[in-house]
Amino acid sequence: MWIDTHCHLDAGEFAGEYDAVAESAARHGVSKIVIPAVGRGNFATVAALASRNAGCCYALGIHPLFVPQAGDDDLQALRMAVQAALADPCFVAVGEIGLDFFVPALRETALREKQERFYAEQLKIARDHGLPVLLHVRRSQDIILKYLRRIGVPGGIAHAFNGSFQQAGEFIRLGFRLGFGGAMTFTRARQIRRLAAELPEQALVLETDAPDIAPAWIHPQRNSPEQLPRIGEVLAQLRHMPVDAIAQLTSDNARSILPRLAMLA
Ligand SMILES: [Zn+2]
């Protein structure tokens, strides 16, 4: 059985077939799917998807790409939503949060500062509730790490990890797992494949990031969580391990970093 630690199942690309996509993933051996929120507008949607699809769970947070249009009232709404969601077994983490300095508009001073403030405030919400975080890290590894050292959260996942070995080591030291997915399936992605092959095995979790980051064999079509086992096979090849050992390892790692997910049947 496999765990997809990052899938935007509520995305418009899946309109009209949300439940069918979740069911198909389950038939392909994906026993759990973590659905992160991107902003206040989809908190209820991700929670509803998780409640009606066995094996789905969710996180609540404001994604860096949605920070420009968010206000301080959204942070307040998030804090209240997180507090309320603690009573919901399907709620597992704060996310997706982080910093995106790849998108040019988001790099300008005012938005850069706003992103950092929203990221820090959301780390505090996670810390205050003892929750792990799901991190979006694009061209921002070192600043992401700086805040993690300052605001101690109980670990989490750096999703779609694409940093250096040194940065990976620092995430691991801070109690984080690193998410690997479709990017690893491209032979030209040398650095990501080297990381996937050589990082300590306790650090690895799998994800699809569907509908984005389609693996090589379906790129550029829509990605979906049923691709996770084949992505896992690539990791097994890279690490010269049996596929079922990779499934077990990455699922154990996901459960240990997301304790509320581990409590789900
Ligand atoms: Zn995401």
Side-chain angles (χ1 to χ4, degrees):
M1 287 303 221
W2 301 88
I3 297 180
D4 186 349
T5 60
H6 199 106
C7 171
H8 295 281
L9 188 60
D10 64 307
E13 284 88 340
F14 296 121
E17 40 181 329
Y18 299 110
D19 299 342
V21 170
E23 281 159 26
S24 175
R27 276 198 308 275
H28 283 78
V30 181
S31 64
K32 295 274 185 303
I33 299 175
V34 181
I35 313 166
V38 295
R40 188 180 182 174
N42 81 335
F43 291 174
T45 312
V46 295
L49 265 177
S51 81
R52 68 169 194 261
N53 286 290
C56 289
C57 53
Y58 67 100
L60 295 175
I62 303 167
H63 189 293
L65 298 183
F66 289 77
V67 162
Q69 55 267 43
D72 283 341
D73 54 326
D74 293 273
L75 285 170
Q76 199 47 47
L78 173 64
R79 188 174 275 277
M80 285 162 59
V82 164
Q83 209 132 16
L86 290 173
D88 180 353
C90 295
F91 169 66
V92 299
V94 169
E96 175 172 357
I97 68 172
L99 298 171
D100 195 313
F101 297 147
F102 173 75
V103 178
L106 294 177
R107 275 204 300 267
E108 285 162 30
T109 312
L111 274 184
R112 203 183 160 95
E113 284 169 7
K114 189 178 180 189
Q115 279 199 71
E116 289 191 33
R117 190 163 63 81
F118 271 67
Y119 170 51
E121 289 306 311
Q122 295 186 93
L123 286 179
K124 289 177 196 163
I125 292 172
R127 178 197 63 193
D128 294 349
H129 296 87
L131 290 163
V133 294
L134 307 179
L135 296 178
H136 174 103
V137 191
R138 257 211 311 185
R139 299 254 172 106
S140 58
Q141 310 272 351
D142 292 329
I143 304 177
I144 286 277
L145 286 163
K146 182 182 83 175
Y147 281 96
L148 291 178
R149 284 189 288 267
R150 208 180 278 172
I151 305 164
V153 296
I157 297 169
H159 121 79
F161 185 73
N162 186 13
S164 66
F165 274 89
Q166 195 239 324
Q167 288 158 337
E170 191 59 5
F171 274 108
I172 294 166
R173 191 183 70 78
L174 291 163
F176 277 73
R177 306 278 191 265
L178 308 168
F180 288 88
M184 172 180 69
T185 66
F186 292 86
T187 47
R188 62 179 147 78
R190 294 241 184 86
Q191 168 76 355
I192 289 177
R193 286 163 75 89
R194 226 160 61 77
L195 288 160
E198 295 174 22
L199 285 174
E201 62 179 29
Q202 303 88 327
L204 308 171
V205 293
L206 285 169
E207 60 171 67
T208 59
D209 199 25
D212 299 326
I213 320 191
W217 51 86
I218 52 164
H219 190 83
Q221 290 163 259
R222 180 188 82 177
N223 193 9
S224 63
E226 70 185 36
Q227 298 297 329
L228 197 76
R230 269 188 83 181
I231 293 170
E233 283 175 30
V234 173
L235 182 60
Q237 285 158 13
L238 288 170
R239 294 187 74 93
H240 309 291
M241 280 173 72
V243 176
D244 48 345
I246 283 291
Q248 184 72 51
L249 168 72
T250 55
S251 298
D252 287 347
N253 289 345
R255 281 189 288 262
S256 72
I257 201 64
L258 302 173
R260 292 175 62 96
L261 178 144
M263 305 277 283
L264 284 172

